[in-house]
Amino acid sequence: MHRFANPARFLRLASAILPWSSALSALLIAAGLYFALFHSPADYQQGETVRIMYVHVPSAWLAMACYSTMALSSAVALIWKHPLADLVAKAASPIGAAFTFLCLVSGSLWGRPMWGTWWAWDARLTSMLILFFLYLGHMALINAFDDPSRGAKAAAILALAGFVNIPIIKFSVDWWNTLHQPASVSKFGMPSIDPAMLLPLLLMALGFTCFFVTVLLIRVRTEIIASKLRAIRMTQIHAVPVAVPVAE
Amino acid sequence: MSDFAPNARFSGHGLACLRGERMVFASLDFALDAGGALLLLGPNGSGKSSLLRLLAGLLKPAAGRLAWNDQPVADDREAHSARVHYVGHHDAVKPVLTVWENLRFWAGLHSPAAGDALTAGALERFDLKRLAEVPGKLLSAGQKRRLNLARLLAAPAPVWLLDEPTVALDRASVKRLEADMARHRAEGGMVILSTHAEIDLPGAAELHLNRFTPAAPDMALLAGDGEDWL
Amino acid sequence: MSRLFGIIHRDLRLALRQGSDSVMVVTFFVLTVVLFPFGIGPEANILERVSSGVLWVTALLASMLSLDRLFQADYEDGSLELLALTPTPLELLVLGKVAAHWLTTGLPLMVAAPVLAVLLNMNADGFVTLLLTMLLGTPTLSLIGAMGAALVLGARRGGVLLSLLVLPLYIPVLIFGVGAIDAAVQGLPVHAHLLILGGMLLAALALTPWATAAALRQALE
């Protein structure tokens, strides 16, 4: 069972890291929220709604970081056929989709007071929406096959193709957006940020990252156990019982 | 055709095959010299088809390596494809193309040197000549199988990998196939074949695949070292 | 090379004898475009304003229609295994199949587009650009689509899944295809758009056959 040699080591490592990463993410997010809600100034233009940024921006960062994680592990899976890499890619995509969704929803909530509408075809929001579709496609493809290893391989190729395409899509959407909208509307974000705003933003970003690592580890661990169970059941079905001599 | 060289040798060392998440066989060795034949035996699910697909290059071995004249096959996949004919469960006959068009396409794709003469000869040999202008959709299962087998002669290649080639064939066709295999081997070709039926393959080595099936794991594995997982 | 033309020839012959694929795609294109005036009203100036977008979005959907058959038939009857086992690089065979697909779908769409542009009251200045964007854009769609078609081989609900995978990747082609036509109609230079479309075609030509061939190989494992 050479295939499971590495996962066993991973499981031990995960058990060692998990308590720390979960505690750290709770701590960082709590501290970040405290500073974000009570110890940072309101924006002189946007007022209190600027505090949505402390959720919106880190989730956008994590949405992209998740895709990079997914693409990187897909490349490892395709090139070195490392059995863990497929599982990491599979575990990362729903987390990435969740962060992207959070980013879209918080962006929409922020857009209501800022632009007076729930949705504007802002370049960043539009790119995020497309990223969300890429995640959905990846998740759907993984689960579309009866043989899980087929789904993993197809999804790895898709993740890499998507990764190559993301800069092209981003460029196209930016170009399209400047063509169709006055530039002032798409100036969304912080050209010069107050240090008092930077601290909670960084705390939240770190907290989100720790949270991502925690959930990723839990999901990979679940996948390993599930695939171990499947492998044992498959071998049970097909293996020749050792006790019974085989007629020839 | 240097691949038909009398000292050619096709071998596999420590081959393992993983289907889905199941180890079908492991530590499998074989060696075949020019003119040799190998008969794959074993019950359903023992990996005969998987081994043939692995030898053809459709499947990558989970462990071990394939070699041609002691050169690893993985180094030059296209050269290996040129040496091999694979006849699987599907006949790859297009319903709207005629028998001639079907065979001519595959022959031309496999080796551009294969001309109309070889295609005509192959059709003749498999008793399909009078059907040459008939579209594939009108063929019976046995005729489709013969058309698939005719590829073997339409574009010569030294290694024939045949997965249950006698399915749907009548007795006369089986006899013809046996004669073709004998002639192919006399010319220095190799035949690797899986079958559940009786087939005459004189001097063929036998490979019993169930000997390479990994033993069933202990159920205790399911309960054991649970601490480590959780 | 002769092998590349061999597979194009065979696929075209199959398409001709089986018929209907090109006809279906063009019929879908025409019918869907004709629906728009019913949806948004027959005012000439509104139709003119949306014509480039409607034509491109519809062409994009139409070119996706026949994609799921691109490899499916060969996959089911065992031809794909034999194609993968020929001494020709699979990437080259993929290019041949995509070329045949474009000739049977992209090209008819291109021919039908100007007629529909007239129906949508498109400004005559945009016609040449419309044809040029279609010429550069539809092969890119076929190339990207082939990758999607190879990925969903053997999947459950492959057809629907294919659109989910492929449509987000089509967006850049759509943006620059429509952008070029709009620029032409406004009398602005279009060569930058066309160069970008051409660049995307070249990139797709260079990259997608590898991904498609890799997807096909794993589908056959």
Side-chain angles (χ1 to χ4, degrees), chain A residues 195-209:
Chain A
M197 288 173 151
L198 197 59
L199 177 70
L201 188 60
L202 287 180
L203 282 175
M204 288 297 277
L206 279 175
F208 274 36
T209 311

mmCIF file with all atom_site columns, all heavy atoms in Angstrom, chain A residues 195-209:
data_model
loop_
_atom_site.group_PDB
_atom_site.id
_atom_site.type_symbol
_atom_site.label_atom_id
_atom_site.label_alt_id
_atom_site.label_comp_id
_atom_site.label_asym_id
_atom_site.label_entity_id
_atom_site.label_seq_id
_atom_site.pdbx_PDB_ins_code
_atom_site.Cartn_x
_atom_site.Cartn_y
_atom_site.Cartn_z
_atom_site.occupancy
_atom_site.B_iso_or_equiv
_atom_site.pdbx_formal_charge
_atom_site.auth_seq_id
_atom_site.auth_comp_id
_atom_site.auth_asym_id
_atom_site.auth_atom_id
_atom_site.pdbx_PDB_model_num
ATOM 1   N N   . PRO A 1 195 ? -3.547  54.147 8.528  1.00 0.00 ? 195 PRO A N   1
ATOM 2   C CA  . PRO A 1 195 ? -2.918  53.053 9.286  1.00 0.00 ? 195 PRO A CA  1
ATOM 3   C C   . PRO A 1 195 ? -3.888  52.392 10.264 1.00 0.00 ? 195 PRO A C   1
ATOM 4   O O   . PRO A 1 195 ? -3.815  51.182 10.492 1.00 0.00 ? 195 PRO A O   1
ATOM 5   C CB  . PRO A 1 195 ? -1.779  53.737 10.034 1.00 0.00 ? 195 PRO A CB  1
ATOM 6   C CG  . PRO A 1 195 ? -1.563  55.024 9.359  1.00 0.00 ? 195 PRO A CG  1
ATOM 7   C CD  . PRO A 1 195 ? -2.806  55.405 8.641  1.00 0.00 ? 195 PRO A CD  1
ATOM 8   N N   . ALA A 1 196 ? -4.818  53.173 10.796 1.00 0.00 ? 196 ALA A N   1
ATOM 9   C CA  . ALA A 1 196 ? -5.789  52.608 11.736 1.00 0.00 ? 196 ALA A CA  1
ATOM 10  C C   . ALA A 1 196 ? -6.717  51.627 11.032 1.00 0.00 ? 196 ALA A C   1
ATOM 11  O O   . ALA A 1 196 ? -7.330  50.772 11.662 1.00 0.00 ? 196 ALA A O   1
ATOM 12  C CB  . ALA A 1 196 ? -6.606  53.720 12.379 1.00 0.00 ? 196 ALA A CB  1
ATOM 13  N N   . MET A 1 197 ? -6.836  51.762 9.702  1.00 0.00 ? 197 MET A N   1
ATOM 14  C CA  . MET A 1 197 ? -7.644  50.806 8.948  1.00 0.00 ? 197 MET A CA  1
ATOM 15  C C   . MET A 1 197 ? -6.808  49.606 8.533  1.00 0.00 ? 197 MET A C   1
ATOM 16  O O   . MET A 1 197 ? -7.330  48.511 8.354  1.00 0.00 ? 197 MET A O   1
ATOM 17  C CB  . MET A 1 197 ? -8.198  51.473 7.686  1.00 0.00 ? 197 MET A CB  1
ATOM 18  C CG  . MET A 1 197 ? -9.298  52.485 7.947  1.00 0.00 ? 197 MET A CG  1
ATOM 19  S SD  . MET A 1 197 ? -9.655  53.302 6.391  1.00 0.00 ? 197 MET A SD  1
ATOM 20  C CE  . MET A 1 197 ? -11.361 53.720 6.623  1.00 0.00 ? 197 MET A CE  1
ATOM 21  N N   . LEU A 1 198 ? -5.518  49.840 8.368  1.00 0.00 ? 198 LEU A N   1
ATOM 22  C CA  . LEU A 1 198 ? -4.648  48.775 7.875  1.00 0.00 ? 198 LEU A CA  1
ATOM 23  C C   . LEU A 1 198 ? -4.525  47.642 8.894  1.00 0.00 ? 198 LEU A C   1
ATOM 24  O O   . LEU A 1 198 ? -4.535  46.466 8.523  1.00 0.00 ? 198 LEU A O   1
ATOM 25  C CB  . LEU A 1 198 ? -3.262  49.367 7.567  1.00 0.00 ? 198 LEU A CB  1
ATOM 26  C CG  . LEU A 1 198 ? -2.370  48.518 6.681  1.00 0.00 ? 198 LEU A CG  1
ATOM 27  C CD1 . LEU A 1 198 ? -3.024  48.269 5.339  1.00 0.00 ? 198 LEU A CD1 1
ATOM 28  C CD2 . LEU A 1 198 ? -1.013  49.194 6.483  1.00 0.00 ? 198 LEU A CD2 1
ATOM 29  N N   . LEU A 1 199 ? -4.434  48.000 10.178 1.00 0.00 ? 199 LEU A N   1
ATOM 30  C CA  . LEU A 1 199 ? -4.242  46.972 11.205 1.00 0.00 ? 199 LEU A CA  1
ATOM 31  C C   . LEU A 1 199 ? -5.381  45.946 11.204 1.00 0.00 ? 199 LEU A C   1
ATOM 32  O O   . LEU A 1 199 ? -5.124  44.745 11.075 1.00 0.00 ? 199 LEU A O   1
ATOM 33  C CB  . LEU A 1 199 ? -4.084  47.625 12.587 1.00 0.00 ? 199 LEU A CB  1
ATOM 34  C CG  . LEU A 1 199 ? -3.951  46.617 13.726 1.00 0.00 ? 199 LEU A CG  1
ATOM 35  C CD1 . LEU A 1 199 ? -2.616  45.887 13.670 1.00 0.00 ? 199 LEU A CD1 1
ATOM 36  C CD2 . LEU A 1 199 ? -4.146  47.273 15.087 1.00 0.00 ? 199 LEU A CD2 1
ATOM 37  N N   . PRO A 1 200 ? -6.658  46.388 11.329 1.00 0.00 ? 200 PRO A N   1
ATOM 38  C CA  . PRO A 1 200 ? -7.726  45.378 11.297 1.00 0.00 ? 200 PRO A CA  1
ATOM 39  C C   . PRO A 1 200 ? -7.783  44.609 9.977  1.00 0.00 ? 200 PRO A C   1
ATOM 40  O O   . PRO A 1 200 ? -8.081  43.416 9.978  1.00 0.00 ? 200 PRO A O   1
ATOM 41  C CB  . PRO A 1 200 ? -9.004  46.199 11.511 1.00 0.00 ? 200 PRO A CB  1
ATOM 42  C CG  . PRO A 1 200 ? -8.628  47.605 11.314 1.00 0.00 ? 200 PRO A CG  1
ATOM 43  C CD  . PRO A 1 200 ? -7.168  47.736 11.590 1.00 0.00 ? 200 PRO A CD  1
ATOM 44  N N   . LEU A 1 201 ? -7.453  45.302 8.886  1.00 0.00 ? 201 LEU A N   1
ATOM 45  C CA  . LEU A 1 201 ? -7.494  44.614 7.591  1.00 0.00 ? 201 LEU A CA  1
ATOM 46  C C   . LEU A 1 201 ? -6.489  43.463 7.558  1.00 0.00 ? 201 LEU A C   1
ATOM 47  O O   . LEU A 1 201 ? -6.806  42.339 7.151  1.00 0.00 ? 201 LEU A O   1
ATOM 48  C CB  . LEU A 1 201 ? -7.186  45.624 6.476  1.00 0.00 ? 201 LEU A CB  1
ATOM 49  C CG  . LEU A 1 201 ? -7.361  45.124 5.041  1.00 0.00 ? 201 LEU A CG  1
ATOM 50  C CD1 . LEU A 1 201 ? -8.786  44.692 4.799  1.00 0.00 ? 201 LEU A CD1 1
ATOM 51  C CD2 . LEU A 1 201 ? -6.960  46.201 4.045  1.00 0.00 ? 201 LEU A CD2 1
ATOM 52  N N   . LEU A 1 202 ? -5.279  43.750 8.035  1.00 0.00 ? 202 LEU A N   1
ATOM 53  C CA  . LEU A 1 202 ? -4.254  42.701 8.042  1.00 0.00 ? 202 LEU A CA  1
ATOM 54  C C   . LEU A 1 202 ? -4.615  41.590 9.009  1.00 0.00 ? 202 LEU A C   1
ATOM 55  O O   . LEU A 1 202 ? -4.424  40.404 8.720  1.00 0.00 ? 202 LEU A O   1
ATOM 56  C CB  . LEU A 1 202 ? -2.894  43.299 8.389  1.00 0.00 ? 202 LEU A CB  1
ATOM 57  C CG  . LEU A 1 202 ? -2.277  44.137 7.266  1.00 0.00 ? 202 LEU A CG  1
ATOM 58  C CD1 . LEU A 1 202 ? -0.931  44.697 7.694  1.00 0.00 ? 202 LEU A CD1 1
ATOM 59  C CD2 . LEU A 1 202 ? -2.122  43.311 5.999  1.00 0.00 ? 202 LEU A CD2 1
ATOM 60  N N   . LEU A 1 203 ? -5.141  41.978 10.199 1.00 0.00 ? 203 LEU A N   1
ATOM 61  C CA  . LEU A 1 203 ? -5.549  40.953 11.170 1.00 0.00 ? 203 LEU A CA  1
ATOM 62  C C   . LEU A 1 203 ? -6.609  40.038 10.565 1.00 0.00 ? 203 LEU A C   1
ATOM 63  O O   . LEU A 1 203 ? -6.537  38.811 10.685 1.00 0.00 ? 203 LEU A O   1
ATOM 64  C CB  . LEU A 1 203 ? -6.105  41.624 12.431 1.00 0.00 ? 203 LEU A CB  1
ATOM 65  C CG  . LEU A 1 203 ? -5.081  42.189 13.406 1.00 0.00 ? 203 LEU A CG  1
ATOM 66  C CD1 . LEU A 1 203 ? -5.793  42.922 14.538 1.00 0.00 ? 203 LEU A CD1 1
ATOM 67  C CD2 . LEU A 1 203 ? -4.212  41.077 13.971 1.00 0.00 ? 203 LEU A CD2 1
ATOM 68  N N   . MET A 1 204 ? -7.577  40.636 9.894  1.00 0.00 ? 204 MET A N   1
ATOM 69  C CA  . MET A 1 204 ? -8.638  39.837 9.287  1.00 0.00 ? 204 MET A CA  1
ATOM 70  C C   . MET A 1 204 ? -8.072  38.940 8.188  1.00 0.00 ? 204 MET A C   1
ATOM 71  O O   . MET A 1 204 ? -8.449  37.771 8.071  1.00 0.00 ? 204 MET A O   1
ATOM 72  C CB  . MET A 1 204 ? -9.722  40.754 8.688  1.00 0.00 ? 204 MET A CB  1
ATOM 73  C CG  . MET A 1 204 ? -10.582 41.448 9.714  1.00 0.00 ? 204 MET A CG  1
ATOM 74  S SD  . MET A 1 204 ? -11.532 40.296 10.704 1.00 0.00 ? 204 MET A SD  1
ATOM 75  C CE  . MET A 1 204 ? -12.909 40.011 9.623  1.00 0.00 ? 204 MET A CE  1
ATOM 76  N N   . ALA A 1 205 ? -7.165  39.500 7.384  1.00 0.00 ? 205 ALA A N   1
ATOM 77  C CA  . ALA A 1 205 ? -6.594  38.703 6.297  1.00 0.00 ? 205 ALA A CA  1
ATOM 78  C C   . ALA A 1 205 ? -5.841  37.500 6.849  1.00 0.00 ? 205 ALA A C   1
ATOM 79  O O   . ALA A 1 205 ? -5.999  36.372 6.374  1.00 0.00 ? 205 ALA A O   1
ATOM 80  C CB  . ALA A 1 205 ? -5.683  39.565 5.436  1.00 0.00 ? 205 ALA A CB  1
ATOM 81  N N   . LEU A 1 206 ? -5.053  37.740 7.900  1.00 0.00 ? 206 LEU A N   1
ATOM 82  C CA  . LEU A 1 206 ? -4.315  36.624 8.520  1.00 0.00 ? 206 LEU A CA  1
ATOM 83  C C   . LEU A 1 206 ? -5.282  35.613 9.125  1.00 0.00 ? 206 LEU A C   1
ATOM 84  O O   . LEU A 1 206 ? -5.090  34.394 9.007  1.00 0.00 ? 206 LEU A O   1
ATOM 85  C CB  . LEU A 1 206 ? -3.377  37.158 9.595  1.00 0.00 ? 206 LEU A CB  1
ATOM 86  C CG  . LEU A 1 206 ? -2.054  37.721 9.068  1.00 0.00 ? 206 LEU A CG  1
ATOM 87  C CD1 . LEU A 1 206 ? -1.259  38.321 10.219 1.00 0.00 ? 206 LEU A CD1 1
ATOM 88  C CD2 . LEU A 1 206 ? -1.249  36.622 8.389  1.00 0.00 ? 206 LEU A CD2 1
ATOM 89  N N   . GLY A 1 207 ? -6.314  36.135 9.791  1.00 0.00 ? 207 GLY A N   1
ATOM 90  C CA  . GLY A 1 207 ? -7.305  35.242 10.393 1.00 0.00 ? 207 GLY A CA  1
ATOM 91  C C   . GLY A 1 207 ? -7.994  34.391 9.345  1.00 0.00 ? 207 GLY A C   1
ATOM 92  O O   . GLY A 1 207 ? -8.165  33.181 9.522  1.00 0.00 ? 207 GLY A O   1
ATOM 93  N N   . PHE A 1 208 ? -8.363  35.015 8.220  1.00 0.00 ? 208 PHE A N   1
ATOM 94  C CA  . PHE A 1 208 ? -9.000  34.268 7.139  1.00 0.00 ? 208 PHE A CA  1
ATOM 95  C C   . PHE A 1 208 ? -8.052  33.189 6.610  1.00 0.00 ? 208 PHE A C   1
ATOM 96  O O   . PHE A 1 208 ? -8.461  32.081 6.298  1.00 0.00 ? 208 PHE A O   1
ATOM 97  C CB  . PHE A 1 208 ? -9.403  35.213 5.995  1.00 0.00 ? 208 PHE A CB  1
ATOM 98  C CG  . PHE A 1 208 ? -10.752 35.851 6.166  1.00 0.00 ? 208 PHE A CG  1
ATOM 99  C CD1 . PHE A 1 208 ? -11.213 36.221 7.423  1.00 0.00 ? 208 PHE A CD1 1
ATOM 100 C CD2 . PHE A 1 208 ? -11.578 36.077 5.068  1.00 0.00 ? 208 PHE A CD2 1
ATOM 101 C CE1 . PHE A 1 208 ? -12.456 36.802 7.589  1.00 0.00 ? 208 PHE A CE1 1
ATOM 102 C CE2 . PHE A 1 208 ? -12.830 36.660 5.222  1.00 0.00 ? 208 PHE A CE2 1
ATOM 103 C CZ  . PHE A 1 208 ? -13.265 37.030 6.480  1.00 0.00 ? 208 PHE A CZ  1
ATOM 104 N N   . THR A 1 209 ? -6.760  33.546 6.499  1.00 0.00 ? 209 THR A N   1
ATOM 105 C CA  . THR A 1 209 ? -5.799  32.572 5.986  1.00 0.00 ? 209 THR A CA  1
ATOM 106 C C   . THR A 1 209 ? -5.702  31.370 6.916  1.00 0.00 ? 209 THR A C   1
ATOM 107 O O   . THR A 1 209 ? -5.702  30.220 6.469  1.00 0.00 ? 209 THR A O   1
ATOM 108 C CB  . THR A 1 209 ? -4.424  33.230 5.816  1.00 0.00 ? 209 THR A CB  1
ATOM 109 O OG1 . THR A 1 209 ? -4.597  34.457 5.112  1.00 0.00 ? 209 THR A OG1 1
ATOM 110 C CG2 . THR A 1 209 ? -3.476  32.345 5.051  1.00 0.00 ? 209 THR A CG2 1
#
